Amino acid sequence: MFKGNEDNPKLTAVFEELGITPEYNPKTITSETIVIHNPSFLKFNETLETQFVCNRLIAVAHENFLRPNGAESFDVSKCLSLISQTSLARQFFIAPVSGYNRGTVERWLKTSDANWHVTEFDWFNICDFEMCEPTSNPSDRRGRHSRAGFEKFPNNETMHLLFPQSAGYCGILGADSLIADSQHPKYWDLYKFQEIEVAKFLEKVDFFIYFTHPNLQESFGRVIAEAIAAGKMVITDALTAQTFGSAVSAALPKDVDAIIHGFIDDPQAYQIHVKNAQSTLNRFSAEHLNSAIINVLNRPIEVEFDFM
């Protein structure tokens, strides 16, 4: 998806640890089950040279298929067709990463003749983080981090409402576009994407405030899980909050001030909320995901080969 970039350093570390030598652009991949992460990586391609031969092919939908306004997030048909046209498989599955993501996949499939099925489980992000103790004395220190794309940010009016001058601290990581705009408030502490370690940045805040552009909806929201693990209270919009349930506070931007000051006035409630939130991250463990995957993989294939 990002041509010219080096391999993901975490993947490289895993390859080295396991003694695996990656093979680039093989002509054929054969296995009982083949998993392709994020089919949208093909949105810049017109062809796919690799052939997949398997009983079961699973495409993990890391990106929502539809935007909140109903438009496609990318050319879903093209990306899935490139995969299916070069595949000899008995079953084709799309694995959503969350309940919201599942809804976009299912709505898209209703308008398509694509011969793909949706897995009954979500292939969620594994949240294997070290849990940090929440502060016993929260103050009005607000922050957020994300990639630097404009779609990750609400409009200027909302940003000023969420990060006002009256707050004790307002920090934003991934603020490349804001830094380029000389009109941004001088009291905002801005960092470019990857300029500072996420853990180091989160030490500066007690409240993680995360709202995005109205025409973008997070498919999972890993940054929220990171903030919870770091011992921070998270406030976000209702749709993003769905993935994490009671672990986050769902709110409208206009209500954020009142929520923050309510927890500042009751530090014990703040600690209880954050610790309960951290306990809910257990449902996104590797063990839970592996169990769900194994249940599917152990089932017999009931259909004949489908040439798509």
Side-chain angles (χ1 to χ4, degrees), residues 86-269:
T86 61
S87 300
L88 182 61
R90 282 188 166 135
Q91 290 182 327
F92 291 82
F93 288 99
I94 300 168
V97 297
S98 70
Y100 183 88
N101 182 240
R102 174 180 296 274
T104 71
V105 171
E106 291 177 341
R107 289 197 298 276
W108 181 86
L109 282 172
K110 287 181 179 178
T111 65
S112 169
D113 58 0
N115 190 21
W116 290 73
H117 307 285
V118 182
T119 60
E120 62 192 45
F121 70 94
D122 292 341
W123 196 299
F124 52 79
N125 282 209
I126 294 175
C127 298
D128 185 18
F129 305 118
E130 180 180 351
M131 299 298 167
C132 300
E133 283 291 316
T135 180
S136 60
N137 187 29
S139 62
D140 193 351
R141 303 190 305 158
R142 313 182 187 194
R144 59 158 287 154
H145 78 89
S146 68
R147 294 197 308 275
F150 77 93
E151 72 279 1
K152 293 290 187 178
F153 292 85
N155 60 34
N156 287 337
E157 181 182 355
T158 302
M159 284 294 293
H160 284 76
L161 183 63
L162 298 174
F163 300 99
Q165 191 166 6
S166 59
Y169 175 80
C170 294
I172 302 171
L173 174 57
D176 303 49
S177 60
L178 300 178
I179 293 172
D181 179 6
S182 60
Q183 301 301 312
H184 70 263
K186 302 308 178 187
Y187 63 87
W188 285 356
D189 189 18
L190 305 181
Y191 296 89
K192 292 183 178 180
F193 184 57
Q194 296 182 333
E195 182 178 346
I196 182 176
E197 290 184 4
V198 171
K200 207 63 159 172
F201 171 76
L202 290 175
E203 290 176 359
K204 299 173 177 287
V205 309
D206 294 325
F207 295 90
F208 189 83
I209 315 300
Y210 192 73
F211 291 79
T212 58
H213 190 280
N215 202 25
L216 173 119
Q217 183 59 47
E218 292 286 1
S219 56
F220 182 81
R222 187 175 180 83
V223 295
I224 291 174
E226 290 176 335
I228 292 171
K232 315 302 173 182
M233 180 178 178
V234 176
I235 305 174
T236 187
D237 65 274
L239 289 178
T240 302
Q242 286 179 359
T243 299
F244 300 94
S246 61
V248 302
S249 179
L252 296 172
K254 66 181 180 64
D255 298 325
V256 168
D257 272 1
I259 294 171
I260 288 176
H261 291 296
F263 279 98
I264 290 174
D265 292 340
D266 191 350
Q268 185 177 13

Side-chain angles (χ1 to χ4, degrees), residues 36-55:
I36 298 176
H37 283 269
N38 206 353
S40 68
F41 82 92
L42 290 166
K43 59 189 174 186
F44 300 124
N45 292 50
E46 295 304 323
T47 61
L48 178 60
E49 302 301 327
T50 301
Q51 183 180 45
F52 304 103
V53 181
C54 58
N55 276 326

Side-chain angles (χ1 to χ4, degrees), residues 39-40 42-43 72-81 108:
S40 68
L42 290 166
K43 59 189 174 186
E72 280 194 332
S73 298
F74 57 97
D75 192 340
V76 183
S77 294
K78 184 189 84 167
C79 295
L80 292 182
S81 293
W108 181 86

